[in-house]
Amino acid sequence: MKIVILERNSVGTDISVDCFRDFGEVEIYGNTVTVEETRERIKDADVVIGNKAPLNESTLAGSKVKLISDFSTGYDNIDTAYCKENGICVCNIQNYCTAAVAQHTIALTMYLLEHLPHYDHYVKDGTYASQDRFSNFDLRFTELEGKTWGIVGMGHIGRKVAQIVEAMGCKVVFYSASGNSSVTEYTRVDFDTLLKDCDFISIHCPLSERTRNLFDADAFSKMKNSAILINVARGPIIHTQALYDALTNGEIAAAGLDVLEQEPISKDNPLGQIQDSNKLIITPHLAWASVEARQRCVDQVYENIQNFLKGSPSRRIV
């Protein structure tokens, strides 16, 4: 059997993928972007391990691919209808980065809430050494205790964040973008109530037509001017220009982003103009990428192939 890994670098070169040699020949590419590259590289493959590379009729037609198992939970890059029609099994991975994304959500929040870049610079530039008192707190900060934390998307990650912030003293409410949530342990509210009442809002929902540009100019106008917004889900859930305006006009206090409308960030993204890290911090889509999460990613794809060969594919989408 031949396995082709199209985007080996997506799990990091520090994580071994040698385990896939247990199943046969393995052909590895650091990254694959274009239709032409994809088509050529998978034409003789039995199993394709992808991530973002396009896997649809234009790349799969004429191939002998039997299984696609992405290094991701999302499978927007795969034409599942075409795969179903042509007998190609599609599997994803699930819940491999819940702890990592929840941890990063809290890290972004605390970085902004306590103005850590300001105080770190205050010490390192010599200002602290020249003052005549032991402490400095010129930028005010508050506690999580007693505040209201709103969650958009109460799936595995949303629930993990809820557990953490509740333990830190927050009241947790959530908005179900799909309207189909079965969660009962936390209070469900409508979107306007979430915007109006919450001191912190973190986004953990999938990107869909319901959630695209969910946070637009109208949404920001309804938020507290002391609110902090965290997005570790998908970039297009927030309207980029509207967020820039809200931050520069003081409609909200700060935002922490791990995802953007275009990745890597485009040179004309207005958010790149905001250099004040007390107001905006952007990380390069790394919330999911703890060492442990990336290892689980590889392990689950291995299990998917193993179970497929046994005739009972796990985490099957198609």
Side-chain angles (χ1 to χ4, degrees):
M1 185 173 69
K2 181 176 180 179
I3 297 172
V4 173
I5 303 176
L6 291 173
E7 293 149 288
R8 185 261 180 277
N9 293 350
S10 67
V11 292
T13 55
D14 58 319
I15 302 297
S16 174
V17 295
D18 288 345
C19 59
F20 296 111
R21 302 190 191 281
D22 292 350
F23 303 116
E25 178 189 354
V26 180
E27 197 168 280
I28 300 173
Y29 298 95
N31 197 29
T32 301
V33 178
T34 68
V35 169
E36 292 74 19
E37 283 180 332
T38 306
R39 183 191 303 116
E40 179 63 26
R41 291 172 179 181
I42 70 174
K43 63 182 181 182
D44 297 323
D46 299 289
V47 176
V48 175
I49 301 173
N51 191 307
K52 304 295 184 186
L55 296 169
N56 48 40
E57 182 175 5
S58 63
T59 55
L60 290 166
S63 74
K64 59 176 187 175
V65 175
K66 303 177 184 68
L67 170 67
I68 299 170
S69 186
D70 270 2
F71 278 144
S72 66
T73 299
Y75 46 92
D76 295 347
N77 63 311
I78 303 171
D79 185 337
T80 54
Y82 177 84
C83 290
K84 184 174 183 179
E85 290 171 6
N86 290 273
I88 301 172
C89 180
V90 177
C91 298
N92 70 348
I93 57 175
Q94 299 165 9
N95 304 333
Y96 68 99
C97 62
T98 298
V101 178
Q103 175 177 296
H104 197 66
T105 301
I106 304 305
L108 291 174
T109 304
M110 300 310 294
Y111 182 94
L112 293 165
L113 176 63
E114 298 199 358
H115 305 294
L116 297 183
H118 168 78
Y119 288 116
D120 180 59
H121 181 69
Y122 185 88
V123 173
K124 291 177 179 176
D125 74 355
T127 307
Y128 180 45
S130 65
Q131 72 174 42
D132 59 1
R133 57 194 176 97
F134 76 95
S135 183
N136 177 273
F137 38 87
D138 57 338
L139 292 187
R140 289 157 38 99
F141 61 94
T142 62
E143 299 173 354
L144 286 175
E145 181 85 29
K147 303 301 189 298
T148 301
W149 188 297
I151 292 176
V152 180
M154 192 62 88
H156 292 286
I157 295 171
R159 289 191 196 199
K160 185 72 172 179
V161 170
Q163 292 167 5
I164 295 169
V165 300
E166 189 174 47
M168 298 179 79
C170 286
K171 173 187 175 183
V172 175
V173 299
F174 77 98
Y175 167 69
S176 172
S178 69
N180 299 321
S181 177
S182 60
V183 172
T184 57
E185 59 265 45
Y186 299 105
T187 302
R188 180 171 162 181
V189 298
D190 60 45
F191 190 52
D192 279 359
T193 299
L194 184 99
L195 298 171
K196 178 173 62 73
D197 291 352
C198 291
D199 302 289
F200 306 92
I201 297 175
S202 58
I203 305 172
H204 309 286
C205 62
L207 177 64
S208 68
E209 288 313 304
R210 288 193 188 95
T211 61
R212 186 179 296 275
N213 292 325
L214 180 65
F215 284 82
D216 58 9
D218 181 61
F220 289 121
S221 71
K222 297 173 182 176
M223 292 175 65
K224 295 182 178 182
N225 58 19
S226 58
I228 293 176
L229 177 66
I230 305 294
N231 187 11
V232 292
R234 288 293 181 265
I237 295 171
I238 295 177
H239 188 283
T240 299
Q241 185 63 49
L243 175 59
Y244 173 84
D245 293 340
L247 288 169
T248 55
N249 296 335
E251 286 186 293
I252 65 171
L257 310 177
D258 186 56
V259 289
L260 296 164
E261 191 170 1
Q262 180 181 327
E263 297 171 346
I265 189 170
S266 61
K267 292 181 179 179
D268 60 352
N269 188 322
L271 296 175
Q273 300 173 25
I274 300 177
Q275 296 298 303
D276 182 359
S277 294
N278 293 286
K279 187 178 291 291
L280 174 66
I281 177 173
I282 305 173
T283 53
H285 205 141
L286 57 77
W288 67 279
S290 67
V291 172
E292 296 88 347
R294 290 183 288 120
Q295 185 61 60
R296 284 191 290 267
C297 176
V298 171
D299 292 345
Q300 286 194 22
V301 172
Y302 182 94
E303 290 173 10
N304 288 347
I305 298 172
Q306 187 176 54
N307 291 334
F308 173 78
L309 295 175
K310 292 177 180 178
S312 55
S314 48
R315 308 176 187 91
R316 184 170 189 164
I317 305 302
V318 172

